[in-house]
Amino acid sequence: MRHHDDPPAVWGSVPPRNLNFTGRRELLEQLGERLTRGGTTAVLPAALHGMGGVGKTQMATEYIYRHSQDYDVIWWIEAARPTQIRASLTELARRLGLPGAAESNTAVPAVREALRLGRPFRRWLLVFDAAESPEEVLPFIPTSGPGEVLITSCNPGWTGAATSVELGVFERDESIELLGKRGPDINVDDANRLAEKLGDLPLAVEQAATWRAMTGMPVAEYLRLFDESVAEILDTSAPPAYEVSVAAAWNVSFDELKTRNPAAHQILHICAFFSPEPIPRDLFTGVSRGVSISPELDAALRDPIKLAKAIRDINRYGLAKIDHANNTIQLHRLVQLVLRKRVMAPQLQAQMRHAAHQLLTSLDPNDPESARHWPRYRELLPHAYAADIVDCGNDRVRQFAINLMRYLFAWGDHEEAARFAEYALEKFERQLGPTDPHTLDVAQRLGLYLWGLGRYEEAARTNQLTLHRRIQVSGEDSEETRTLQTNILIDLRAKGDFAQGLRLSEEIYHKTKRLFGEDDPETLQAAYQHALSLRLSGEYQAAADLDENTLRRRIEVLGPDHPTTLSTNAALVVDRREAGEYMRARIDQERVTEIYRTRFGEDQADTVVMWFLLSVARRKDGDHRSALELSTAALSRFAAAYGADHPTTTACALAHSIDLRHSGDLAAAKAIGEKTLETYRRSLGEQHPHTIAATVDLAITLRLRGQAADARVLDERALELLRINVGRNHPYAVIAAINLASDLAAVGDVEPAAALGQDTVERAERVLGPNHPTTLAAAINLGLDLRAAGRTDEAKSYSAPILDKYRKVLGEAHPATIAAVKDTRADCDIDPLLM
């Protein structure tokens, strides 16, 4: 049992308590009442909103320290940008030990669900500080649950989305109380005059109190300096009154610091261009010799003693908050605003912003795909945004910007990676031109990011344009051109043009092999991509042969546990499964899945893909019950992590609908099958082979539900489209023809069923081989149709001989063998292939 002073079990990023917090008693009580009004049945966010400098963050912080014993989890979230919210919730997922905590796109939904359920903790408080708008923040808030949410914002628009507490300036007695706390002694009349001059704005009052505590300056002298600063500000612009109060109060201290410690003075200039959230102190330590800002600051950045003195002076004058526990510096956002707008001339602004760019870049680990560096990139990202590093003219800074978008994509924040890449591309094209190496690098990455988001048409346009420009710059055979051609290959798959994709992947593979040799990692990756093209084109055995060769070489070159080696191993298993080696594929998939589970963890995304592939392998090998269990779990995980429209989620949903049909739950199979088909239509289009495959699978369910006529309509259209788009000899077309023959038989068109079946058997033998389970299904169905048509003698060759093959290929106990023995028609599924 927790004692009164024990901290919560999970405590994250809460600012240090302000020991001079003053007043706000009634508002704190009101805030507590509104937070708890919903009991334990729903989250009712309470928003603190008001103009800058009124103490919203301070009040939220004070509430936390007064009520920390009421919660098991208190988590503070810097909410100015969605990517910062995702980063904070990802860290919370890790602290809670939730599955999928390694990547943003899986961690965030896992956190929301855990909080909604109240597991592992029921008493929780989330604080979204400095939230910009409800539209950006509400998607991250649990939709219900036993905890509470507190939001601070300058945006009054929260009043429609949350119960709100409006925070204004201090009451006069609160201003006087704060001025009297810090010393030296001040009489009520002087305190009243000073509070009046400061507009009772808490941030300005706090600054004045700190200055007086530091210097002992008489109030009259302080007011004279304050008025001089106000006159200077009003001489250059007409800012809002609250900006004047903060700027003037701050300038009094800031001007003194310039004389006392120029290095500290310049550190504050630079901090004005960072994010308002805590700035890591090590941004100013260990700076490389290549970074030069000014003589005074350069000396401090390279001398720990001088740097420590500068930071102490900043703290003494109350010009920034120093958090020694977390080793950070923080400026209030309003102070940053007035420093940039009211204090710095344009030339100085440019110099200090570039200094911020240099300091940020000096901490770039330059390895954004490595998970061990993600905490550093996560720490730098908000400050890089605030400093607008994309606008810098330095090539090292531009590369840092590219590394940040690479980190975002690798970490799992794909939407933010694409948004950042779009912004950078626009800037680079304008500053550098469309064929500059940095511009082309960003454009290439943007094409990949857009494809990953399912924005296929935009991706294709971006990739085609970038390829044209890249060839102009680097030529046909450059490594950069080949990488872009791989993007084009991916676009062709998204478009459903498997034949053209096969031709392009073959070209890339042979070109790479000629340039680098068979064992080069680039060649092996090109081989992997070509095998995928072969698989999508229905050439399963050729894909297996190439993947087997690539696997052997990757083991020799990269080792058996390298991620690309493992992905080739997994691909080979799928090749063999589609080639009809069901038992072997299941055994191999069990082994590969265990390797992924052991190496990457139970809930890592690639491991869940292996569970999904294992569900298909088990179903193909006849274990329908286990397949359903696996696809149920995998679909739930994918839908939560990536959303219903993600390509992997959709493929898993299609497989799950097949599993439901095999379990006898035709209603559920139909519902999911229809939903999946619609998703494919929306994302890939009516004529994409994956969409048509979903149509064929749904038609089987309809026929088994007694809707044979509806199934026939779907299958006729599917077969027509497949013959046009992938050809008559593609396995998908063969399977569609098998199922259409079953539809015809079901509605009494026996002779047309037999005729179609005859052609399909012959075609399946040529395409898949005489012993492939699909060929056997076509043959067993043809025998049934011939018998129904009275062609008994012809039917005999498709009875006992085919049953013998079923027993040899699938085994006596396989459900398909048992069904064939009972003269039950075979239904042929099209299992989704990942692109």
Side-chain angles (χ1 to χ4, degrees):
M1 176 138 181
R2 278 176 51 199
H3 294 95
H4 176 75
D5 294 330
D6 289 345
V10 179
W11 172 272
S13 301
V14 178
R17 191 172 194 174
N18 181 1
L19 300 180
N20 293 303
F21 183 86
T22 301
R24 309 297 201 190
R25 296 174 185 84
E26 291 184 6
L27 284 170
L28 281 167
E29 292 176 5
Q30 183 182 355
L31 176 61
E33 291 173 1
R34 295 194 179 186
L35 273 171
T36 58
R37 187 175 294 169
T40 60
T41 59
V43 174
L44 295 177
L48 289 173
H49 64 84
M51 66 184 180
V54 298
K56 298 180 294 296
T57 297
Q58 290 294 318
M59 185 165 160
T61 303
E62 181 65 17
Y63 176 85
I64 286 173
Y65 283 97
R66 293 189 185 190
H67 295 271
S68 61
Q69 73 278 4
D70 297 337
Y71 302 100
D72 298 311
V73 176
I74 297 178
W75 201 255
W76 188 279
I77 300 165
E78 299 289 347
R81 289 177 176 269
T83 189
Q84 294 171 254
I85 301 175
R86 292 189 193 99
S88 184
L89 291 178
T90 299
E91 176 61 19
L92 177 56
R94 188 189 66 78
R95 290 282 296 276
L96 294 177
L98 300 179
E103 295 185 4
S104 166
N105 51 8
T106 54
V108 173
V111 163
R112 293 182 72 230
E113 182 67 5
L115 296 178
R116 185 185 70 82
L117 296 174
R119 295 199 298 261
F121 298 104
R122 290 187 58 78
R123 304 188 307 167
W124 51 263
L125 172 65
L126 299 184
V127 182
F128 291 83
D129 187 41
E132 291 292 335
S133 68
E135 294 76 21
E136 288 187 342
V137 176
L138 288 176
F140 297 100
I141 296 176
T143 54
S144 60
E148 296 160 10
V149 175
L150 175 59
I151 295 158
T152 75
S153 178
C154 289
N155 182 355
W158 280 98
T159 53
T163 56
S164 62
V165 175
E166 185 167 352
L167 199 62
V169 298
F170 272 155
E171 298 292 335
R172 179 57 52 84
D173 61 342
E174 292 174 327
S175 298
I176 292 172
E177 180 185 350
L178 179 56
L179 288 167
K181 273 185 177 181
R182 306 295 298 272
D185 291 341
I186 183 171
N187 63 51
V188 174
D189 288 342
D190 280 349
N192 191 63
R193 288 168 55 211
L194 190 52
E196 176 75 23
K197 184 71 71 172
L198 296 168
D200 292 303
L201 188 69
L203 185 62
V205 173
E206 171 70 21
Q207 183 61 49
T210 302
W211 172 258
R212 292 192 65 259
M214 174 67 191
T215 64
M217 179 178 286
V219 169
E221 177 65 12
Y222 183 88
L223 290 175
R224 183 185 68 77
L225 293 174
F226 183 91
D227 286 340
E228 288 178 0
S229 182
V230 169
E232 181 182 340
I233 293 167
L234 295 178
D235 188 50
T236 58
S237 62
Y242 69 92
E243 280 191 23
V244 174
S245 294
V246 171
W250 206 74
N251 280 356
V252 172
S253 303
F254 190 60
D255 290 344
E256 174 67 18
L257 184 66
K258 182 178 181 179
T259 302
R260 180 183 181 91
N261 194 325
H265 186 259
Q266 291 172 29
I267 286 174
L268 288 173
H269 276 117
I270 295 171
C271 287
F273 293 97
F274 291 141
S275 169
E277 68 183 79
I279 303 161
R281 179 172 167 170
D282 58 4
L283 265 175
F284 302 98
T285 61
V287 177
S288 69
R289 292 286 172 184
V291 174
S292 180
I293 300 168
S294 70
E296 302 89 353
L297 187 52
D298 291 351
L301 295 178
R302 291 171 177 82
D303 185 334
I305 295 176
K306 290 181 178 178
L307 180 61
K309 185 177 186 306
I311 291 176
R312 278 200 305 274
D313 283 345
I314 290 171
N315 193 40
R316 289 173 66 197
Y317 284 92
L319 294 168
K321 292 181 181 178
I322 310 298
D323 185 346
H324 295 290
N326 295 308
N327 207 24
T328 60
I329 306 170
Q330 186 173 18
L331 263 68
H332 191 283
R333 66 189 67 247
L334 184 54
V335 170
Q336 290 180 309
L337 175 67
V338 299
L339 182 56
R340 292 194 302 267
K341 289 173 61 177
R342 315 292 172 210
V343 177
M344 281 187 267
Q347 184 176 355
L348 183 58
Q349 281 195 36
Q351 180 189 359
M352 292 296 104
R353 189 167 71 136
H354 184 60
H357 295 165
Q358 292 182 83
L359 293 176
L360 288 164
T361 302
S362 71
L363 291 185
D364 179 8
N366 203 30
D367 189 12
E369 275 81 27
S370 173
R372 67 192 179 95
H373 294 310
W374 290 352
R376 171 59 79 190
Y377 283 111
R378 190 177 306 148
E379 191 175 44
L380 297 178
L381 182 66
H383 303 295
Y385 278 150
D388 196 10
I389 60 169
V390 171
D391 206 33
C392 186
N394 181 278
D395 281 350
R396 283 192 64 224
V397 178
R398 290 188 180 112
Q399 186 57 52
F400 174 46
I402 292 171
N403 286 347
L404 282 173
M405 67 183 72
R406 291 168 60 192
Y407 147 72
L408 285 165
F409 192 77
W411 176 58
D413 195 346
H414 298 166
E415 289 187 11
E416 184 63 19
R419 190 209 64 78
F420 190 24
E422 286 175 315
Y423 175 68
L425 181 60
E426 179 187 353
K427 287 271 190 176
F428 286 4
E429 282 186 338
R430 188 166 61 249
Q431 295 167 357
L432 307 172
T435 58
D436 181 87
H438 289 102
T439 306
L440 290 171
D441 189 357
V442 172
Q444 175 185 320
R445 296 183 189 283
L446 176 59
L448 178 64
Y449 301 163
L450 292 171
W451 188 92
L453 292 172
R455 294 161 62 180
Y456 300 126
E457 291 184 6
E458 294 174 75
R461 287 195 299 270
T462 299
N463 287 329
Q464 287 288 353
L465 179 59
T466 308
L467 178 62
H468 174 72
R469 291 171 174 173
R470 173 57 75 183
I471 291 173
Q472 285 181 318
V473 173
S474 306
E476 293 275 359
D477 291 334
S478 71
E479 187 171 335
E480 294 86 356
T481 299
R482 286 183 294 101
T483 301
L484 266 167
Q485 285 180 315
T486 302
N487 280 16
I488 301 295
L489 172 60
I490 294 171
D491 294 335
L492 289 170
R493 291 170 184 160
K495 188 179 175 182
D497 193 346
F498 294 164
Q500 182 63 23
L502 179 61
R503 287 190 288 271
L504 180 57
S505 67
E506 185 174 28
E507 176 189 334
I508 296 170
Y509 173 45
H510 289 304
K511 182 191 296 184
T512 310
K513 185 164 58 173
R514 184 179 69 251
L515 290 171
F516 301 112
E518 288 196 310
D519 291 332
D520 187 89
E522 290 293 325
T523 305
L524 296 175
Q525 179 61 22
Y528 174 82
Q529 288 292 337
H530 185 45
L532 175 52
S533 292
L534 288 166
R535 187 183 318 129
L536 291 170
S537 298
E539 300 185 32
Y540 303 134
Q541 191 55 55
D545 292 342
L546 181 54
D547 272 332
E548 190 168 16
N549 179 63
T550 305
L551 177 61
R552 177 178 57 80
R553 293 180 185 277
R554 274 184 160 167
I555 289 173
E556 293 172 356
V557 174
L558 301 171
D561 293 331
H562 192 276
T564 59
T565 304
L566 294 176
S567 65
T568 306
N569 200 345
L572 176 58
V573 175
V574 176
D575 296 334
R576 287 173 173 160
R577 185 194 79 203
E578 294 303 302
E581 298 182 65
Y582 293 166
M583 185 180 297
R584 180 179 184 181
R586 173 182 176 156
I587 293 169
D588 289 347
Q589 188 65 57
E590 301 273 5
R591 176 179 53 80
V592 171
T593 302
E594 181 59 24
I595 291 172
Y596 271 81
R597 188 192 67 80
T598 303
R599 180 172 173 78
F600 301 113
E602 187 81 29
D603 294 291
Q604 200 265 350
D606 287 341
T607 304
V608 181
V609 171
M610 292 304 111
W611 289 119
F612 156 48
L613 294 177
L614 180 57
S615 75
V616 177
R618 285 182 175 175
R619 169 163 43 79
K620 290 291 190 184
D621 196 37
D623 189 352
H624 295 166
R625 181 189 60 78
S626 177
L628 178 61
E629 292 174 359
L630 281 175
S631 68
T632 300
L635 178 58
S636 174
R637 172 69 195 286
F638 277 125
Y642 300 104
D645 292 345
H646 189 277
T648 306
T649 308
T650 309
C652 192
L654 183 57
H656 184 57
S657 71
I658 298 171
D659 292 332
L660 287 167
R661 172 166 25 90
H662 281 289
S663 74
D665 191 347
L666 298 181
K670 176 177 179 288
I672 294 180
E674 289 174 335
K675 184 178 179 181
T676 304
L677 175 58
E678 183 54 37
T679 302
Y680 273 126
R681 281 174 174 158
R682 188 171 60 251
S683 60
L684 297 177
E686 186 76 36
Q687 299 194 25
H688 193 286
H690 286 12
T691 306
I692 305 170
T695 303
V696 172
D697 289 330
L698 175 61
I700 299 172
T701 303
L702 295 178
R703 174 163 35 83
L704 294 178
R705 282 171 55 89
Q707 299 172 255
D710 294 335
R712 175 180 178 174
V713 172
L714 290 182
D715 278 330
E716 285 178 338
R717 177 61 175 162
L719 182 57
E720 177 187 3
L721 291 176
L722 286 169
R723 286 174 172 174
I724 293 171
N725 293 319
V726 295
R728 290 174 175 270
N729 291 328
H730 193 287
Y732 284 14
V734 172
I735 291 173
I738 292 171
N739 290 321
L740 177 55
S742 294
D743 300 335
L744 293 170
V747 297
D749 291 342
V750 178
E751 286 292 351
L756 180 58
Q758 187 73 57
D759 176 76
T760 304
V761 169
E762 294 170 0
R763 201 175 296 277
E765 288 178 345
R766 292 197 306 272
V767 171
L768 298 169
N771 294 322
H772 193 286
T774 298
T775 306
L776 301 183
I780 206 75
N781 287 356
L782 175 57
L784 295 174
D785 291 335
L786 291 171
R787 190 189 309 164
R791 298 155 63 179
T792 308
D793 291 341
E794 293 178 69
K796 289 180 181 178
S797 60
Y798 297 102
S799 181
I802 300 302
L803 289 176
D804 287 341
K805 287 186 177 182
Y806 261 108
R807 295 183 179 103
K808 291 176 183 177
V809 172
L810 296 178
E812 290 277 2
H814 194 287
T817 304
I818 296 171
V821 170
K822 294 179 178 179
D823 284 341
T824 303
R825 293 192 76 91
D827 298 313
C828 291
D829 311 309
I830 303 180
D831 278 288
L833 294 174
L834 301 179
M835 296 188 291

